[in-house]
Amino acid sequence: MPEITDYTLSLERSRNSLTRADRPRTFTLAGREWDLLDGVFAPPFSASTGAAMELLGLAGADLRPWRGSFLEVGCGTGVIALSAALAGCDRVTALDISPQAVRNTAANADRHGLAERVRVLHSDLFDALAPEDRYDTVYWHSNFVLAPDSYRYKSDHERAYVDPGYRAHQRFLIDAPAHVAAGGRILLHFSNRGDIRALHALGHRCGRRLREAGALPVGEGTDEVRHLLYEITVTD
């Protein structure tokens, strides 16, 4: 397996990011300060959150206003969901399977005066939503590294790094269309750390089309990681 896609190295990064002596209590991203709680994915140790902000037009040269409603699956510290609210989305919901990540996003909503505008829920993918909940944008910055189907998580934190057998990706592809509003869009953040061929094959089996809506190469040490934004639609 190529080193960039080796799930054991991703798990090592997960463990190291929890115990690093330089793990901060707050960090700055996109010109704003954010709280970082113990046990939550740390954007300062990965370029992926900053790449997501750029691909979505929430930071950098492509910064643009947003409208409508926004749903984020796997919110972590809440940077993406809260930035969407700050950019103009009038209804935002942030979901995460980790109770600590839910607390972290809620803390950052308080920090930025968004507690009344952003709903934060403990949820395994879409489980906490009502069947009638619909959003103009449904977004997931996925745990795109493929782990063996037999792998069992040792902590919630590992869920941010790897997806055994792409089971979570399959659930997302199948269930996301039920929560997108008419004329809305489903967006999936992926990268070449994941198995792109396997993702497209999974999409085909699920009756979903994946169209590349953006790409951003980012240097990480000696590697160049290509971050990808896919728009997902239901095939006819």
Side-chain angles (χ1 to χ4, degrees):
M1 178 182 292
E3 183 171 309
I4 194 172
T5 61
D6 185 345
Y7 81 99
T8 64
L9 295 180
S10 291
L11 292 174
E12 184 180 344
R13 285 193 293 271
S14 169
R15 290 189 294 271
N16 290 343
S17 73
L18 292 174
T19 58
R20 285 176 55 160
D22 60 344
R23 183 180 171 95
R25 294 293 181 183
T26 63
F27 64 95
T28 300
L29 184 60
R32 297 187 177 94
E33 190 171 9
W34 309 90
D35 291 315
L36 174 63
L37 301 186
D38 292 340
V40 179
F41 179 86
F45 300 151
S46 171
S48 62
T49 303
M53 294 281 281
E54 290 198 43
L55 286 168
L56 291 168
L58 291 170
D62 197 30
L63 181 65
R64 61 181 183 270
W66 279 62
R67 297 291 181 266
S69 54
F70 186 93
L71 172 68
E72 182 181 18
V73 177
C75 54
T77 56
V79 170
I80 300 296
L82 299 172
S83 294
L86 290 165
C89 288
D90 54 15
R91 182 168 62 92
V92 175
T93 297
L95 310 175
D96 206 290
I97 196 171
S98 163
Q100 186 75 332
V102 171
R103 288 188 282 271
N104 203 151
T105 295
N108 278 319
D110 286 338
R111 172 185 280 274
H112 293 289
L114 295 169
E116 299 300 317
R117 290 177 51 202
V118 177
R119 182 172 62 147
V120 188
L121 300 175
H122 179 223
S123 182
D124 183 355
L125 289 173
F126 303 101
D127 286 354
L129 297 181
E132 65 272 15
D133 285 341
R134 301 284 192 280
Y135 297 85
D136 296 307
T137 300
V138 175
Y139 171 77
W140 183 30
H141 182 157
S142 79
N143 48 352
F144 38 68
V145 176
L146 177 62
D149 188 61
S150 60
Y151 184 77
R152 296 296 178 263
Y153 293 118
K154 296 176 176 61
S155 69
D156 278 341
H157 192 260
E158 290 185 350
R159 295 177 184 273
Y161 285 80
V162 303
D163 181 14
Y166 277 168
R167 293 192 298 271
H169 283 78
Q170 179 171 314
R171 288 180 57 200
F172 181 83
L173 290 170
I174 291 171
D175 294 343
H179 294 289
V180 68
R185 57 184 181 163
I186 303 166
L187 300 176
L188 173 68
H189 182 138
F190 206 74
S191 93
N192 63 335
R193 286 196 187 279
D195 190 327
I196 295 172
R197 182 176 297 180
L199 176 69
H200 280 271
L202 178 61
H204 179 73
R205 293 196 300 273
C206 294
R208 306 291 183 257
R209 180 180 294 110
L210 282 74
R211 180 186 67 84
E212 188 176 307
L216 182 67
V218 177
E220 292 188 19
T222 59
D223 297 325
E224 181 177 271
V225 178
R226 190 166 185 262
H227 291 269
L228 303 165
L229 189 65
Y230 287 113
E231 183 171 0
I232 298 164
T233 55
V234 177
T235 58
D236 296 332

